[in-house]
Amino acid sequence: YEISTRDWSSDVCSSDLTRSNDPSVVCAYGSKFHPKSQVQYPTTRRIGSYIFKLLIRGLFKIQCNDTQTGVKVFRTVPLIEALAYTQEERFLFDVELLVVLWKLNFRFVEAPVELDFQYSSTINPNAIAKMFTDLFGLYLRLKSSFRLIGTK
């Protein structure tokens, strides 16, 4: 019934998904931007996360506040359907999977998280340039793919 991807415990997301009575809601995801989230992380990382959120919303037009926190719980059948369209790995996999689910008319619920990042940021000019390049490549591929399969 549920499949989770996580870097840590997903109990909160799992309960948020099972409480949803809307059959179009197929994913609960942990979000640093949820009003009840308690997060501590470097300012550069916070700014980067916010910019990334704006990019995802702007490029892909999906209602998802945070693709990168590291915890998601899915309903099995829609996940399997969406995986047939995915190709990406690493950080883009989460983005691609959520965009594909959205384009297949599925929806998500946001869940609060507690995070305390105790390390320095890996954000640097090269990482930012690669992120933009990879993200734009994903945008072009998905735009073409979903035009071909007739979804929004």
mmCIF file of all heavy atoms in Angstrom, residues 85-103:
data_model
loop_
_atom_site.group_PDB
_atom_site.id
_atom_site.type_symbol
_atom_site.label_atom_id
_atom_site.label_comp_id
_atom_site.label_asym_id
_atom_site.label_seq_id
_atom_site.Cartn_x
_atom_site.Cartn_y
_atom_site.Cartn_z
ATOM 1 N N TYR A 85 8.085 6.415 -16.346
ATOM 2 C CA TYR A 85 8.487 7.613 -17.080
ATOM 3 C C TYR A 85 9.793 8.232 -16.584
ATOM 4 O O TYR A 85 10.229 9.243 -17.113
ATOM 5 C CB TYR A 85 7.393 8.685 -16.981
ATOM 6 C CG TYR A 85 6.098 8.284 -17.627
ATOM 7 C CD1 TYR A 85 5.046 7.811 -16.848
ATOM 8 C CD2 TYR A 85 5.922 8.368 -18.999
ATOM 9 C CE1 TYR A 85 3.845 7.451 -17.429
ATOM 10 C CE2 TYR A 85 4.732 8.006 -19.590
ATOM 11 C CZ TYR A 85 3.697 7.538 -18.795
ATOM 12 O OH TYR A 85 2.508 7.169 -19.376
ATOM 13 N N THR A 86 10.392 7.663 -15.553
ATOM 14 C CA THR A 86 11.557 8.307 -14.951
ATOM 15 C C THR A 86 12.868 7.767 -15.498
ATOM 16 O O THR A 86 12.964 6.599 -15.871
ATOM 17 C CB THR A 86 11.560 8.167 -13.416
ATOM 18 O OG1 THR A 86 11.619 6.791 -13.082
ATOM 19 C CG2 THR A 86 10.335 8.803 -12.799
ATOM 20 N N GLN A 87 13.880 8.649 -15.530
ATOM 21 C CA GLN A 87 15.213 8.273 -15.993
ATOM 22 C C GLN A 87 16.312 8.803 -15.088
ATOM 23 O O GLN A 87 17.435 8.335 -15.152
ATOM 24 C CB GLN A 87 15.466 8.836 -17.390
ATOM 25 C CG GLN A 87 14.550 8.337 -18.455
ATOM 26 C CD GLN A 87 14.833 9.025 -19.791
ATOM 27 O OE1 GLN A 87 15.858 9.660 -19.977
ATOM 28 N NE2 GLN A 87 13.911 8.904 -20.718
ATOM 29 N N GLU A 88 16.006 9.795 -14.294
ATOM 30 C CA GLU A 88 17.030 10.530 -13.549
ATOM 31 C C GLU A 88 17.551 9.771 -12.341
ATOM 32 O O GLU A 88 16.932 8.832 -11.866
ATOM 33 C CB GLU A 88 16.486 11.886 -13.098
ATOM 34 C CG GLU A 88 16.138 12.811 -14.232
ATOM 35 C CD GLU A 88 17.327 13.209 -15.088
ATOM 36 O OE1 GLU A 88 18.474 13.222 -14.590
ATOM 37 O OE2 GLU A 88 17.116 13.518 -16.270
ATOM 38 N N GLU A 89 18.678 10.217 -11.855
ATOM 39 C CA GLU A 89 19.287 9.700 -10.640
ATOM 40 C C GLU A 89 19.636 10.881 -9.749
ATOM 41 O O GLU A 89 19.514 12.029 -10.144
ATOM 42 C CB GLU A 89 20.560 8.926 -10.983
ATOM 43 C CG GLU A 89 20.316 7.713 -11.852
ATOM 44 C CD GLU A 89 21.600 7.018 -12.266
ATOM 45 O OE1 GLU A 89 22.703 7.553 -11.987
ATOM 46 O OE2 GLU A 89 21.512 5.949 -12.865
ATOM 47 N N ARG A 90 20.058 10.584 -8.544
ATOM 48 C CA ARG A 90 20.508 11.585 -7.576
ATOM 49 C C ARG A 90 19.430 12.613 -7.273
ATOM 50 O O ARG A 90 18.256 12.268 -7.217
ATOM 51 C CB ARG A 90 21.802 12.211 -8.054
ATOM 52 C CG ARG A 90 22.919 11.183 -8.218
ATOM 53 C CD ARG A 90 24.196 11.760 -8.626
ATOM 54 N NE ARG A 90 24.428 12.992 -7.859
ATOM 55 C CZ ARG A 90 25.462 13.747 -7.974
ATOM 56 N NH1 ARG A 90 26.398 13.422 -8.811
ATOM 57 N NH2 ARG A 90 25.603 14.848 -7.272
ATOM 58 N N PHE A 91 19.788 13.887 -7.097
ATOM 59 C CA PHE A 91 18.807 14.873 -6.638
ATOM 60 C C PHE A 91 17.685 15.099 -7.644
ATOM 61 O O PHE A 91 16.582 15.441 -7.260
ATOM 62 C CB PHE A 91 19.492 16.205 -6.272
ATOM 63 C CG PHE A 91 19.724 17.134 -7.428
ATOM 64 C CD1 PHE A 91 18.798 18.111 -7.742
ATOM 65 C CD2 PHE A 91 20.867 17.032 -8.201
ATOM 66 C CE1 PHE A 91 19.005 18.979 -8.801
ATOM 67 C CE2 PHE A 91 21.084 17.892 -9.253
ATOM 68 C CZ PHE A 91 20.146 18.863 -9.550
ATOM 69 N N LEU A 92 17.939 14.888 -8.911
ATOM 70 C CA LEU A 92 16.891 15.100 -9.911
ATOM 71 C C LEU A 92 15.833 13.998 -9.906
ATOM 72 O O LEU A 92 14.739 14.207 -10.403
ATOM 73 C CB LEU A 92 17.491 15.216 -11.309
ATOM 74 C CG LEU A 92 18.052 16.575 -11.672
ATOM 75 C CD1 LEU A 92 18.582 16.570 -13.096
ATOM 76 C CD2 LEU A 92 17.043 17.675 -11.497
ATOM 77 N N PHE A 93 16.154 12.840 -9.344
ATOM 78 C CA PHE A 93 15.164 11.764 -9.307
ATOM 79 C C PHE A 93 13.921 12.204 -8.545
ATOM 80 O O PHE A 93 12.794 11.986 -9.000
ATOM 81 C CB PHE A 93 15.752 10.489 -8.689
ATOM 82 C CG PHE A 93 14.712 9.427 -8.492
ATOM 83 C CD1 PHE A 93 14.223 8.715 -9.582
ATOM 84 C CD2 PHE A 93 14.183 9.161 -7.240
ATOM 85 C CE1 PHE A 93 13.235 7.741 -9.417
ATOM 86 C CE2 PHE A 93 13.208 8.199 -7.061
ATOM 87 C CZ PHE A 93 12.738 7.491 -8.155
ATOM 88 N N ASP A 94 14.104 12.818 -7.380
ATOM 89 C CA ASP A 94 12.957 13.277 -6.585
ATOM 90 C C ASP A 94 12.123 14.282 -7.362
ATOM 91 O O ASP A 94 10.895 14.211 -7.371
ATOM 92 C CB ASP A 94 13.432 13.927 -5.281
ATOM 93 C CG ASP A 94 14.051 12.940 -4.310
ATOM 94 O OD1 ASP A 94 14.083 11.736 -4.621
ATOM 95 O OD2 ASP A 94 14.491 13.381 -3.241
ATOM 96 N N VAL A 95 12.791 15.217 -8.009
ATOM 97 C CA VAL A 95 12.087 16.236 -8.797
ATOM 98 C C VAL A 95 11.316 15.567 -9.922
ATOM 99 O O VAL A 95 10.122 15.802 -10.100
ATOM 100 C CB VAL A 95 13.070 17.273 -9.379
ATOM 101 C CG1 VAL A 95 12.353 18.235 -10.327
ATOM 102 C CG2 VAL A 95 13.800 18.026 -8.274
ATOM 103 N N GLU A 96 11.993 14.727 -10.684
ATOM 104 C CA GLU A 96 11.350 14.068 -11.821
ATOM 105 C C GLU A 96 10.155 13.236 -11.382
ATOM 106 O O GLU A 96 9.076 13.311 -11.990
ATOM 107 C CB GLU A 96 12.355 13.180 -12.559
ATOM 108 C CG GLU A 96 11.742 12.483 -13.762
ATOM 109 C CD GLU A 96 12.713 11.577 -14.471
ATOM 110 O OE1 GLU A 96 13.570 10.969 -13.810
ATOM 111 O OE2 GLU A 96 12.598 11.464 -15.710
ATOM 112 N N LEU A 97 10.305 12.456 -10.331
ATOM 113 C CA LEU A 97 9.208 11.606 -9.879
ATOM 114 C C LEU A 97 7.994 12.432 -9.472
ATOM 115 O O LEU A 97 6.857 12.130 -9.866
ATOM 116 C CB LEU A 97 9.670 10.726 -8.718
ATOM 117 C CG LEU A 97 8.639 9.753 -8.165
ATOM 118 C CD1 LEU A 97 8.122 8.821 -9.257
ATOM 119 C CD2 LEU A 97 9.254 8.961 -7.019
ATOM 120 N N LEU A 98 8.200 13.505 -8.726
ATOM 121 C CA LEU A 98 7.074 14.344 -8.311
ATOM 122 C C LEU A 98 6.437 15.060 -9.502
ATOM 123 O O LEU A 98 5.214 15.175 -9.578
ATOM 124 C CB LEU A 98 7.523 15.334 -7.244
ATOM 125 C CG LEU A 98 7.875 14.687 -5.901
ATOM 126 C CD1 LEU A 98 8.522 15.705 -4.965
ATOM 127 C CD2 LEU A 98 6.672 14.045 -5.255
ATOM 128 N N VAL A 99 7.239 15.512 -10.445
ATOM 129 C CA VAL A 99 6.684 16.162 -11.642
ATOM 130 C C VAL A 99 5.859 15.167 -12.445
ATOM 131 O O VAL A 99 4.745 15.477 -12.889
ATOM 132 C CB VAL A 99 7.795 16.784 -12.515
ATOM 133 C CG1 VAL A 99 7.245 17.243 -13.858
ATOM 134 C CG2 VAL A 99 8.463 17.943 -11.790
ATOM 135 N N VAL A 100 6.375 13.962 -12.616
ATOM 136 C CA VAL A 100 5.633 12.937 -13.374
ATOM 137 C C VAL A 100 4.306 12.627 -12.675
ATOM 138 O O VAL A 100 3.256 12.583 -13.327
ATOM 139 C CB VAL A 100 6.481 11.662 -13.562
ATOM 140 C CG1 VAL A 100 5.633 10.501 -14.072
ATOM 141 C CG2 VAL A 100 7.635 11.939 -14.528
ATOM 142 N N LEU A 101 4.334 12.440 -11.369
ATOM 143 C CA LEU A 101 3.079 12.187 -10.642
ATOM 144 C C LEU A 101 2.095 13.336 -10.841
ATOM 145 O O LEU A 101 0.908 13.119 -11.078
ATOM 146 C CB LEU A 101 3.352 11.981 -9.153
ATOM 147 C CG LEU A 101 3.956 10.640 -8.767
ATOM 148 C CD1 LEU A 101 4.506 10.673 -7.352
ATOM 149 C CD2 LEU A 101 2.924 9.521 -8.914
ATOM 150 N N TRP A 102 2.596 14.565 -10.746
ATOM 151 C CA TRP A 102 1.739 15.750 -10.928
ATOM 152 C C TRP A 102 1.144 15.772 -12.335
ATOM 153 O O TRP A 102 -0.046 16.027 -12.518
ATOM 154 C CB TRP A 102 2.554 17.011 -10.651
ATOM 155 C CG TRP A 102 1.742 18.260 -10.668
ATOM 156 C CD1 TRP A 102 1.613 19.150 -11.711
ATOM 157 C CD2 TRP A 102 0.937 18.777 -9.612
ATOM 158 N NE1 TRP A 102 0.792 20.172 -11.354
ATOM 159 C CE2 TRP A 102 0.356 19.976 -10.067
ATOM 160 C CE3 TRP A 102 0.659 18.345 -8.325
ATOM 161 C CZ2 TRP A 102 -0.494 20.739 -9.281
ATOM 162 C CZ3 TRP A 102 -0.179 19.107 -7.539
ATOM 163 C CH2 TRP A 102 -0.742 20.286 -8.022
ATOM 164 N N LYS A 103 1.968 15.496 -13.332
ATOM 165 C CA LYS A 103 1.493 15.510 -14.726
ATOM 166 C C LYS A 103 0.501 14.378 -14.994
ATOM 167 O O LYS A 103 -0.308 14.481 -15.912
ATOM 168 C CB LYS A 103 2.663 15.427 -15.709
ATOM 169 C CG LYS A 103 3.617 16.594 -15.640
ATOM 170 C CD LYS A 103 2.956 17.885 -16.038
ATOM 171 C CE LYS A 103 3.954 19.028 -16.053
ATOM 172 N NZ LYS A 103 3.355 20.310 -16.349
#
